[in-house]
Amino acid sequence: MSQLPFLLVDAFTTQPLSGNPCAVVLDADALDPAMRQRLAREFNQSETAFVNRAAPGSTEFTVRFFTPAEEIPLAGHPTIATVTALLHASRVALPASGAPLTLTLHLLHGPIRVDVMSPTGTEPPLVWMTQRQPVFGATHAPETVLPLFGLTPDDLLPGAPIQTVSTGTPQLMILLRDHAALRRAHVADPAALGRYRAESDFFSPHLFCLGGATPAGHTFARHFGTPPDVSEDPVTGSATGGMAAYLWRHGYINSPNFLAEQGHDMGRAGTVQVRISGAREAIDAVQIGGTGVVVLEGSLRGDL
């Protein structure tokens, strides 16, 4: 009977039972894609990460991310959760010197770099993920998109394009005029959203506005899914990267470093640190940073 270790990690938070939960399965080499998909549906988190074994002392890991419905090429909160789990399980260790730890995660579409900063005080280690260089995709008609979320074109920030942006996973960027519009948003017709998504170029929609949920934040966001994926994701790292690229490219933020907030109205408050490098018209890289907290450890049992 096989037994594989797994951890449930809350990402983008320092407090258990907040942020975004992610299941991380270690030593997952023998699990084929069909079994990984079944397990992701069983865990029923927005994403589940599967990490293959690596040689002791290695700083390179093969990782795959699955939603309950499908495998995706890149995800932010599972990256934070995966590195938090590897540290917790002593699969990697921070340098005694206090220098950053640099890891390479080999994902579906190639490697990404992750830098882990040594903790200060009682805070857990800060994990910085360098996402893919931004790709700006199609623009979408407000009169088609906004009703999918129970909104009208007047709820959009005037002049803001609705655009697909990818820093590894393509997301639909929808900049609303204020917090009131964002809080009214909901998936009005899941089947209609599913049909629009199927014929378009994005994985899922990211709705946001300027101004944080708290005085510390600079943006506030919500991220919706379609069944069997979760209906709303508490804190979305990959979409935050795309949102950052969108805001910087189109001139909606003045600083390339800011704090993105999400999940507060769901009782799962999370904070994402964001760094952008490069000119607005030629972004070099987007990095998102956050901490994680292990809330559960266990083992998968059975003939997997």
Side-chain angles (χ1 to χ4, degrees):
M1 178 178 290
S2 60
Q3 294 194 35
L4 298 180
F6 75 87
L7 303 92
L8 188 66
V9 181
D10 288 340
F12 296 122
T13 182
T14 60
Q15 300 297 321
L17 309 182
S18 58
N20 200 352
C22 178
V24 182
V25 180
L26 302 178
D27 304 334
D29 308 54
L31 300 176
D32 64 25
M35 179 56 71
R36 293 178 185 209
Q37 189 64 73
R38 290 175 64 190
L39 286 169
R41 187 71 187 92
E42 183 76 8
F43 280 116
N44 204 31
Q45 304 299 316
S46 54
E47 281 103 16
T48 296
F50 296 89
V51 187
N52 286 4
R53 295 182 185 88
S58 176
T59 57
E60 299 195 20
F61 295 86
T62 297
V63 186
R64 295 291 185 268
F65 302 134
F66 285 75
T67 77
E70 61 192 297
E71 183 174 8
I72 58 175
L74 180 144
H77 96 273
T79 297
I80 306 303
T82 293
V83 174
T84 299
L86 291 171
L87 287 164
H88 183 86
S90 300
R91 304 300 178 92
V92 293
L94 291 166
S97 65
L101 170 68
T102 299
L103 303 175
T104 300
L105 302 187
H106 294 274
L107 306 181
L108 180 64
H109 290 171
I112 61 166
R113 173 174 172 153
V114 177
D115 296 288
V116 189
M117 315 307 293
S118 294
T120 56
T122 60
E123 296 287 307
L126 176 63
V127 181
W128 281 102
M129 170 195 191
T130 301
Q131 298 187 348
R132 313 278 186 214
Q133 192 167 25
V135 175
F136 293 85
T139 56
H140 302 253
E143 62 271 20
T144 300
V145 172
L146 273 299
L148 296 173
F149 305 99
L151 302 173
T152 72
D154 288 339
D155 291 310
L156 196 67
L157 186 72
I162 299 176
Q163 186 172 25
T164 300
V165 182
S166 176
T167 53
T169 298
Q171 313 283 10
L172 184 63
M173 297 295 148
I174 306 172
L175 176 55
L176 299 179
R177 66 165 59 243
D178 55 27
H179 284 225
L182 183 61
R183 289 190 163 100
R184 286 201 314 275
H186 62 282
V187 177
D189 184 343
L193 176 57
R195 289 192 298 270
Y196 188 71
R197 173 180 179 263
E199 66 189 22
S200 193
D201 63 342
F202 65 90
F203 173 71
S204 48
H206 196 65
L207 287 67
F208 53 98
C209 62
L210 300 174
T214 76
H218 299 91
T219 61
F220 188 40
R222 299 178 67 190
H223 194 91
F224 295 108
T226 54
D229 288 342
V230 297
S231 59
E232 184 170 351
D233 195 32
V235 197
T236 318
S238 60
T240 297
M243 178 187 74
Y246 171 99
L247 291 170
W248 186 241
R249 174 72 168 267
H250 294 297
Y252 290 111
I253 52 175
N254 295 321
S255 172
N257 304 328
F258 67 94
L259 290 179
E261 295 183 323
Q262 192 178 337
H264 293 62
D265 292 347
M266 300 176 66
R268 305 232 28 142
T271 301
V272 186
Q273 299 188 40
V274 181
R275 299 193 300 213
I276 309 166
S277 59
R280 293 186 188 274
E281 67 279 6
I283 298 171
D284 294 323
V286 175
Q287 294 178 296
I288 57 118
T291 56
V293 182
V294 175
V295 296
L296 178 67
E297 295 180 76
S299 61
L300 297 172
R301 302 184 62 183
D303 187 11
L304 300 177

